[in-house]
Amino acid sequence: MTTDNRNILARGRVATRLPAQDLDRARRFYAEQLGLEPVDERPGGLLYRCGDTEFALFESTGASPGTFTQMGWQVDDVETIVAELKQRGVMFEEVDVPGLRTKDGIADIDGNYPSKGARGERAAWFRDSEGNLLGIGEPVA
């Protein structure tokens, strides 16, 4: 089997799926706090598009543990985005663990993803209305 045949998923697009116990509440959060509207919907699901990627919220009786980042956005100016989202009522996580500490909701992370040509990343995390932990990151050159 050639390398190309083994990497069949590398040619596909990735789309995140996030659970929502209350899809109407989630729709309001994503619209009012994040400024996002679904581009498509079906019974029990909402599809969103950001840039050339997609994510979906799906109605679920299960809940996210919210103990890890489930989805993240790469942005050009994390401070401006965090400030704007705070004005819309988004609450950012404050983290203080060995090797990772936020100040005003933003952490400076050295050595994150050098393959992107960065020496680090500035990052922030928040939870949506359903408890999903979402992140925002800005590569630092």
Side-chain angles (χ1 to χ4, degrees), residues 2 4 10 22-23 27 42 45 48-49 60 70-71 74-75 79 90 96 102 116 119 121 129 134:
T2 68
D4 285 340
D22 184 328
L23 205 53
R27 178 197 291 265
R42 62 169 174 74
Y48 292 84
R49 192 165 290 128
S60 174
Q70 293 165 263
M71 182 175 74
Q74 182 175 318
V75 299
E79 281 191 38
V90 174
D96 188 359
T102 56
K116 291 185 176 185
R119 66 172 171 75
E121 181 178 33
S129 61
L134 307 175

Side-chain angles (χ1 to χ4, degrees), residues 64 66-71 93 125-127 131-135:
S64 166
T67 57
F68 55 87
T69 307
Q70 293 165 263
M71 182 175 74
E93 298 287 304
W125 298 268
F126 64 93
R127 294 178 195 283
N132 297 304
L133 186 60
L134 307 175

Side-chain angles (χ1 to χ4, degrees), residues 111-119:
N112 227 18
Y113 304 114
S115 62
K116 291 185 176 185
R119 66 172 171 75

Side-chain angles (χ1 to χ4, degrees), residues 1-8 11:
M1 192 178 277
T2 68
T3 301
D4 285 340
N5 288 340
R6 286 186 300 140
N7 295 331
I8 58 174
R11 294 186 297 268

